[in-house]
Amino acid sequence: MKIGIIGMPQSGKSTLFRLLTNAQPSLGNKASIAVGKVPDPRIDRLSEIFQPRKTTYAVIDFVDLPGYGSGAGSKASEFFSAVRDVDALVLVTRAFESDTVPSANGIQPAADFNSIQQELLVADWSVLENRLERANKQRGKNPNIGPELEVLEKCKAVLEQDLPLRQLELDEEEEKLIRDFNFLTRKPLIVVINADEEQMRSGSYPQKEELEEELAQKGIPFLLISSQIEAEISELDPEDAALFMEELGISEPGIARLARAVYGYLGLISYFTVGEDEVRAWTIRAGDSARKAAGKIHSDIERGFIRAEVVSYEDFIEHGSMQKVKEKGLFRLEGKDYIVQDGDIISFRFNV
Ligand SMILES: Nc1nc2c(ncn2[C@@H]2O[C@H](COP(=O)(O)OP(=O)(O)OP(=O)(O)O)[C@@H](O)[C@H]2O)c(=O)[nH]1
Ligand SMILES: [Mg+2]
């Protein structure tokens, strides 16, 4: 899973990338990729209980993309091909005021959002036109082209209204037909409004109504985050960080919220394995079977799957030990078709 961070130049993309991944983005106009951990208080807790040698959180790959339209090197074609390559987008819009960080057209997050959205729509439109033209030429010669043309026409109707393709409902078959076109406005999108401390406290910022109305209308989730504050929090020791956050009225760093929002929005869930060696979160898709989930650990476990021994995180925490959980009959034996739930603690039985 690769998440691309996009936005206007100097909106705070690289700052966010650094916070999410602890990696340094490359300077200039090259895209950088790094792994970001998805903070999970459940893993913290399990780790406290089991005191394992190793604790492993779920991860997502983040890609810091050059600012759209920012000077030399970031040619539109390069920008778009980098964006095509990711599974979902985090779009950063600048709300923060600063005398030292220049802004081309003043602080106008709604206008910035709209102009990027517009660029993405235009890019999709040109892919669509190409495809339509090609498909139309093949009509009559290629009997399989009918269904594709139908979906493309549906896409066209949406783009003609200036709406993102995300808003188009397609069944699985239709989805397959257009998957390879990698439409940009069909990628899941989360907006981060990068605010300053003052704005975080007041909850208000320039063009707020306009932006939030637009996002609500299009069903795009958004988070108000101050990358500046997040950067400060990340440098404090845990106690001071907690005090600082309390003073700001936030219970958890925005970065943790963002990582989790992205994770959840992509339909990802975690199951856990626990033990003295390692407490670990494994990422699967909501709806995955026990057998498929086992394959995340090793293909041998998937192939030789016998059963899964499962207890939910909540049940485990409530009773405090595997022993108690077993006594209470909360330790379940599940077969290969069991649909794994978020937070299941699982031990797989298999033979090879
Ligand atoms: N005051 C203030 N400055 C910020 C904030 N977020 C980022 N900055 C500053 O704004 C400048 C640009 O931040 P970056 O994270 O590099 O922005 P970017 O979007 O990656 O910029 P480009 O890659 O050049 O498009 C840096 O000097 C940051 O320190 C913020 O919330 N408040
Ligand atoms: Mg940058």
Side-chain angles (χ1 to χ4, degrees):
M1 280 291 156
K2 261 198 289 186
I3 316 298
I5 305 176
I6 60 171
M8 287 290 177
Q10 300 286 293
S11 51
K13 299 179 294 299
S14 298
T15 309
L16 210 57
F17 174 82
R18 226 177 278 122
L19 288 162
L20 285 162
T21 64
N22 280 320
Q24 281 306 324
S26 62
L27 292 174
N29 284 307
K30 280 212 107 44
S32 317
I33 181 163
V35 173
K37 95 176 186 195
V38 182
D40 188 336
R42 296 171 301 181
I43 286 286
D44 298 336
R45 190 74 200 279
L46 290 171
S47 191
E48 270 166 34
I49 294 169
F50 286 92
Q51 299 286 320
R53 279 183 274 282
K54 194 172 166 207
T55 299
T56 310
Y57 293 81
V59 295
I60 318 180
D61 286 332
F62 288 96
V63 187
D64 184 23
L65 293 159
Y68 177 71
S70 65
S74 80
K75 278 194 244 105
S77 61
E78 281 170 28
F79 174 77
F80 288 120
S81 68
V83 179
R84 257 180 231 302
D85 193 39
V86 301
D87 301 295
L89 299 170
V90 168
L91 192 161
V92 185
T93 66
R94 171 178 174 175
F96 68 86
E97 310 268 1
S98 162
D99 297 334
T100 51
V101 183
S103 96
N105 317 302
I107 307 301
Q108 40 174 2
D112 288 352
F113 169 78
N114 281 328
S115 76
I116 294 173
Q117 161 119 319
Q118 206 54 41
E119 293 298 336
L120 299 177
L121 284 168
V122 169
D124 278 355
W125 185 253
S126 87
V127 170
L128 181 85
E129 277 194 315
N130 269 327
R131 283 311 306 182
L132 264 176
E133 197 178 319
R134 224 176 288 176
N136 270 317
K137 274 191 198 143
Q138 282 176 30
R139 197 165 27 191
K141 289 177 225 155
N142 178 351
N144 298 325
I145 210 73
E148 181 183 321
L149 262 173
E150 245 171 69
V151 194
L152 290 174
E153 288 296 342
K154 281 189 191 177
C155 292
K156 187 176 172 195
V158 171
L159 288 180
E160 270 170 351
Q161 300 170 64
D162 259 352
L163 293 175
L165 289 172
R166 216 173 296 116
Q167 286 181 244
L168 180 63
E169 280 196 34
L170 296 175
D171 63 33
E172 218 171 298
E173 281 304 304
E174 295 175 311
E175 187 75 62
K176 257 192 215 153
L177 288 169
I178 60 162
R179 190 182 298 152
D180 288 346
F181 307 151
N182 263 316
F183 287 122
L184 304 181
T185 64
R186 189 144 182 91
K187 293 184 192 290
L189 172 69
I190 293 181
V191 167
V192 167
I193 301 153
N194 190 10
D196 58 39
E197 192 168 331
E198 176 62 37
Q199 293 164 344
M200 288 300 285
R201 284 180 202 279
S202 66
S204 122
Y205 57 87
Q207 294 194 322
K208 173 182 160 120
E209 257 120 76
E210 208 178 321
L211 178 59
E212 294 188 7
E213 201 169 296
E214 167 77 10
L215 296 175
Q217 214 177 52
K218 299 216 155 66
I220 299 169
F222 63 91
L223 285 87
L224 194 65
I225 287 183
S226 168
S227 53
Q228 185 107 322
I229 295 178
E230 295 294 324
E232 282 168 34
I233 291 174
S234 73
E235 281 176 9
L236 295 171
D237 59 53
E239 264 171 46
D240 291 339
L243 277 175
F244 186 39
M245 287 192 291
E246 195 183 316
E247 193 213 325
L248 289 164
I250 51 179
S251 57
E252 172 183 40
I255 286 302
R257 275 188 295 136
L258 175 60
R260 268 214 309 280
V262 170
Y263 199 73
Y265 189 49
L266 290 173
L268 303 177
I269 59 172
S270 300
Y271 75 86
F272 308 131
T273 52
V274 296
E276 283 170 16
D277 281 339
E278 189 179 27
V279 162
R280 174 161 185 169
W282 300 88
T283 302
I284 56 171
R285 289 190 170 277
D288 278 354
S289 67
R291 185 174 177 159
K292 184 155 189 213
K296 283 280 158 182
I297 302 178
H298 201 286
S299 56
D300 283 351
I301 310 182
E302 185 172 357
R303 233 176 296 131
F305 184 96
I306 299 172
R307 62 171 187 269
E309 301 173 354
V310 184
V311 57
S312 74
Y313 171 81
E314 282 77 21
D315 284 345
F316 176 73
I317 293 300
E318 188 182 336
H319 297 284
S321 75
M322 286 299 174
Q323 181 70 32
K324 285 251 174 60
V325 160
K326 279 181 191 161
E327 283 167 19
K328 295 273 172 194
L330 294 168
F331 200 70
R332 292 170 277 131
L333 299 183
E334 302 282 4
K336 63 179 171 26
D337 295 325
Y338 168 71
I339 301 299
V340 174
Q341 305 295 306
D342 187 40
D344 277 351
I345 299 172
I346 306 186
S347 165
F348 292 105
R349 295 285 161 249
F350 63 103
N351 59 26
V352 281

